[in-house]
Amino acid sequence: MAHAAQVGLQDATSPIMEELIIFHDHALMIIFLICFLVLYALFLTLTTKLTNTSISDAQEMETVWTILPAIILVLIALPSLRILYMTDEVNDPSFTIKSIGHQWYWTYEYTDYGGLIFNSYMLPPLFLEPGDLRLLDVDNRVVLPVEAPIRMMITSQDVLHSWAVPTLGLKTDAIPGRLNQTTFTATRPGVYYGQCSEICGANHSFMPIVLELIPLKIFEMGPVFTL
C-alpha cells in the first residue's frame, strides 16, 4: 500500500501492474528527454547572440521537428496499446467474483461457491484493533488465492462507483444496469487495499476494498472467509 512521502507507484502484485510500471518509467524517460531538450533550446536562445535573424526558411529543421514528435508518439502508443489489450483479455478464469457497489459499501458474491454473498463495510474507528488501518480496513475481507486467474464482475445498484486496487493494476467502473469485467492473477500473498475511485456521494471516501490473498493450496482446503 502507499506510504507517506512515496514518490513512485506501489509495488506490483500482478503481471499487469508490472507492465504498467515499466510503461510508466518508459514514458517518464521520454518526458525527461523532451524537457531537457526544450530547456536547452531556451537556454541557448537567451544566452546566444542571434546573428541569423533574417533566415525565414529551414526545410531540414522543419522536417526534423515534424517527424521526431511522430516517432516519439509511436514509441509511447505501441506499448500503451499492448497493455490496454492485455487488460481486456479473459483467459479461462479459475474463479469468478461478483462485486456490487452501493452507497457506501460493497457486496461480494462467490458465484463458484453456491452463491455465497456478504457485505463489506469500512470499520468504524471504535472497532479498530492494533495494526488495523483507519479508513482502509473492513469488517469482511475478500479472500482469494494467488497464482490463479480470477475474474471480477463489477456493477452498481445505485450510482457510479469504481472498483480499484492499485497494487494489482485494477480500476473498473461500477455502472448501474451494466456488468463490467476484469481479470487479474496475483503473484504473492498478502493483504492489499483499494478504494472507490469514482465520486459517488457524501461518503465516497468511506467504502474501501480489502483483498486477502492466500496460497492456492490453503484456499483449496476450503474457502476461508473472514465473516
Side-chain angles (χ1 to χ4, degrees):
M1 59 172 292
H3 56 81
Q6 180 173 336
V7 177
L9 301 174
Q10 297 184 30
D11 293 339
T13 314
S14 68
I16 292 295
M17 189 59 188
E18 292 176 359
E19 293 287 342
L20 289 172
I21 291 177
I22 293 173
F23 173 70
H24 169 267
D25 295 341
H26 167 74
L28 200 60
M29 185 59 66
I30 294 176
I31 292 173
F32 281 155
L33 292 175
I34 293 174
C35 292
F36 175 78
L37 180 61
V38 172
L39 291 175
Y40 180 69
L42 288 174
F43 176 77
L44 290 181
T45 302
L46 295 173
T47 58
T48 303
K49 184 178 180 181
L50 301 178
T51 57
N52 296 314
T53 56
S54 61
I55 295 179
S56 60
D57 186 25
Q59 295 292 336
E60 296 81 4
M61 182 178 294
E62 292 178 1
T63 301
V64 169
W65 72 38
T66 300
I67 295 177
L68 188 59
I71 295 175
I72 293 174
L73 289 176
V74 170
L75 292 176
I76 296 176
L78 290 181
S80 175
L81 290 173
R82 172 175 170 270
I83 298 174
L84 182 63
Y85 281 103
M86 287 175 62
T87 57
D88 285 337
E89 290 182 357
V90 180
N91 296 322
D92 191 22
S94 300
F95 303 94
T96 298
I97 310 296
K98 185 177 180 181
S99 176
I100 305 173
H102 305 270
Q103 290 181 310
W104 288 271
Y105 63 95
W106 296 96
T107 297
Y108 297 99
E109 178 180 351
Y110 284 71
T111 59
D112 300 314
Y113 289 92
L116 173 64
I117 303 175
F118 62 90
N119 296 327
S120 181
Y121 292 88
M122 185 193 74
L123 282 177
L126 294 176
F127 292 88
L128 292 175
E129 298 180 359
D132 290 342
L133 300 175
R134 179 176 174 272
L135 301 182
L136 284 178
D137 265 303
V138 296
D139 55 355
N140 298 318
R141 295 175 175 177
V142 181
V143 181
L144 295 171
V146 299
E147 299 178 351
I150 298 169
R151 175 172 58 186
M152 295 294 304
M153 310 294 288
I154 301 168
T155 186
S156 172
Q157 195 173 10
D158 38 45
V159 298
L160 289 176
H161 299 280
S162 184
W163 198 85
V165 182
T167 189
L168 291 171
L170 298 177
K171 186 179 183 296
T172 304
D173 289 339
I175 303 173
R178 178 170 178 171
L179 195 63
N180 291 330
Q181 71 173 356
T182 185
T183 59
F184 68 93
T185 302
T187 56
R188 52 195 173 93
V191 179
Y192 303 102
Y193 298 87
Q195 289 179 303
C196 176
S197 297
E198 187 75 39
I199 297 178
C200 55
N203 293 330
H204 155 68
S205 57
F206 303 114
M207 49 184 304
I209 301 162
V210 181
L211 302 182
E212 184 174 346
L213 302 175
I214 61 177
L216 182 58
K217 291 182 179 179
I218 298 177
F219 188 87
E220 288 176 343
M221 295 178 183
V224 181
F225 307 112
T226 57
L227 297 177

